[in-house]
Amino acid sequence: MPIIINGREVPVPADARVSLLDFVREHLELYGTKKGCNQGACGACTVLVDGERILSCLALAVQYDGREVTTVEGLASDGALHPLQQAFIDHDGFQCGYCTPGQICSAVGMAEEVARGVPSHVTDDLGAGEIPLSQDELRERMSGNLCRCGAYNGIVDAIAEVFAGSGA
Amino acid sequence: MIELAYTRATDASDAIRRAEGENAKYLGGGTNLVDLMRETVEVPSALVDVTRLWDEIQETDDGGLMIGAAARNTAVAEHPAVRAHYPMLTRAIVAGASAQIRNMATVGGNLLQRTRCTYFYDTDGSRCNKRSPGEGCDAIEGFNRSHAILGASPACVATHPSDMCVALAALDAVVHLRSASGERTVALCDLHTLPGDRPDVETVLAPGELITAVQLPPSNLAARSTYRKVRDRASYAFALVSVAAAIELNGGAIADVRLALGGVAPKPWRAWRAEEALRGGPATEASFLEAADAELADARPLAGNAFKVDLARRTLVAVLQQLTEGARR
Ligand SMILES: Cc1cc2nc3c(=O)[nH]c(=O)nc-3n(C[C@H](O)[C@H](O)[C@H](O)COP(=O)(O)OP(=O)(O)OC[C@H]3O[C@@H](n4cnc5c(N)ncnc54)[C@H](O)[C@@H]3O)c2cc1C
Ligand code: FES
Ligand code: FES
């Protein structure tokens, strides 16, 4: 079965060692997804698989056949930026921009987790069906994405604007 | 070039058959194995993908839970029955790694992630008895701030990094195993072995043996339980010390208690001695301290990690106080 990457069917690589990250970058020339550490420690390589955020550097591409992978290139539709992409621009959510595709894909996946009621390390009440996306919740849930430029305040503002109203 | 074959198992017996080859490994989310393969610490010639095996979470007839080995860590943490009846397990899982990694990681893979330290990863720069048995350990005289204070040996002082396993140890979880010769169960507390002079061996699993499920027995205390993790930064870091605790009071006395420690030992460390000291006694700070001291009496800190003894003692006491004061976490 092929992998579906940003809506396009592509055959899985023949070599089992190829990571999903190298596959999208080197084989498909989708350079949006970034390689920071290549060992699971930075989040720069975050992509969505069937809507869930994962680290493409620790994923072997062969494991993902039949799955729908969305990279940052797949978020815009008909040339219009995803609202979160626009919010990153509006709030200066980056400096060098290297962590940004991972931040954006991660935040899209995070919003889905919050909507589903997945608790986090800072959630007080595990029985709560609805978990408001407070500043603490947002920062904890995004802690898997590091930014060496320290653009965190802009990143948090951008995500809060799109996914938490202005309340976060 | 080293050949690497990849196949995907359709069920448990298929997985076992496929893994019969020379140097095959089961592949879960890959978050530990792919990393170690890239560093050439693990060099399998075949991978058998077990992520599409049983991944459900079901209530058992006795009121406990059966969790498929392929269940993702996030799925376990968010499950309503886990949140309601075993809150320490949800808290332990969401204290580990990052959301992305928890979405990938399976229960089986979390249990069998390697007991490790940075010297283990440093294939060209450091000696490591776990990687190359008999070669020596550069951590013992090295930078050993994060290493073990309990259960280690002169051969190896690495810690088991799982948060989830610490809660599972405290919850008396039972691991279901399957191999060509049949099925068996092992208590989570007996799954991992101490390093002794064979730090390359970390579990009682036979070659090719597959984890199929983890069973949680019903518990009167687990609904009142929590997990606290102390680390160098607020999130996305391994534990320096962690404590999983459940306690049941009868008046001012401790009717029953379950305790386990993480970050301090080569395996999830069930605090049997502290439990023994507490059971039937008063729920006071003095008795909590006494129990912590009983557990830590055998601690053998290294040059860099003596602080862990105090930290473990204080964290244990604080968690017990929190639970007995009825606070949420
Ligand atoms: C940057 C980073 C930070 C992390 N921080 C934390 C942390 O703070 N706390 C924490 O607890 N963990 C942490 N982890 C570890 C993470 O939790 C584990 O890597 C993960 O749980 C492993 O699960 P997996 O399914 O990806 O396993 P894999 O990597 O796929 O497999 C691990 C091992 O288990 C074996 N295996 C897998 N499934 C089975 C099965 N069913 N039967 C038999 N053998 C099997 C494999 O052969 C392999 O040897 C971190 C990891 C990274 C990369
Ligand atoms: S490149 Fe994947 S986490 Fe850093
Ligand atoms: S903007 Fe430079 S790393 Fe985040």
Side-chain angles (χ1 to χ4, degrees), chain A residues 42 95-96 99 103 146-152:
Chain A
C42 77
Q95 287 178 34
C96 75
C99 71
Q103 300 277 4
L146 306 190
C147 172
R148 288 209 66 178
C149 299
Y152 293 111

Side-chain angles (χ1 to χ4, degrees), chain B residues 2-40:
Chain B
I2 304 156
E3 293 297 320
L4 180 68
Y6 166 88
T7 57
R8 181 178 301 145
T10 52
D11 59 36
S13 46
D14 182 41
I16 291 158
R17 201 170 33 76
R18 286 175 189 276
E20 266 165 6
E22 276 290 280
N23 187 16
K25 282 229 140 219
Y26 295 121
L27 176 66
T31 59
N32 188 222
L33 185 53
V34 170
D35 193 28
L36 290 169
M37 283 167 57
R38 193 167 284 147
E39 301 296 334
T40 68

Side-chain angles (χ1 to χ4, degrees), chain A residues 5 17-40 42 44-47 54-61 64 69 71 98, chain B residues 38:
Chain A
I5 299 197
R17 276 166 296 206
V18 177
S19 69
L20 186 57
L21 174 59
D22 287 340
F23 186 58
V24 297
R25 283 182 61 87
E26 310 304 330
H27 296 217
L28 306 178
E29 299 181 359
L30 292 168
Y31 297 117
T33 310
K34 296 293 185 275
K35 184 182 284 189
C37 63
N38 214 27
Q39 54 183 22
C42 77
C45 65
T46 304
V47 299
I54 65 150
L55 298 179
S56 60
C57 72
L58 296 183
L60 296 183
Y64 291 83
V69 178
T71 68
Y98 200 79
Chain B
R38 193 167 284 147

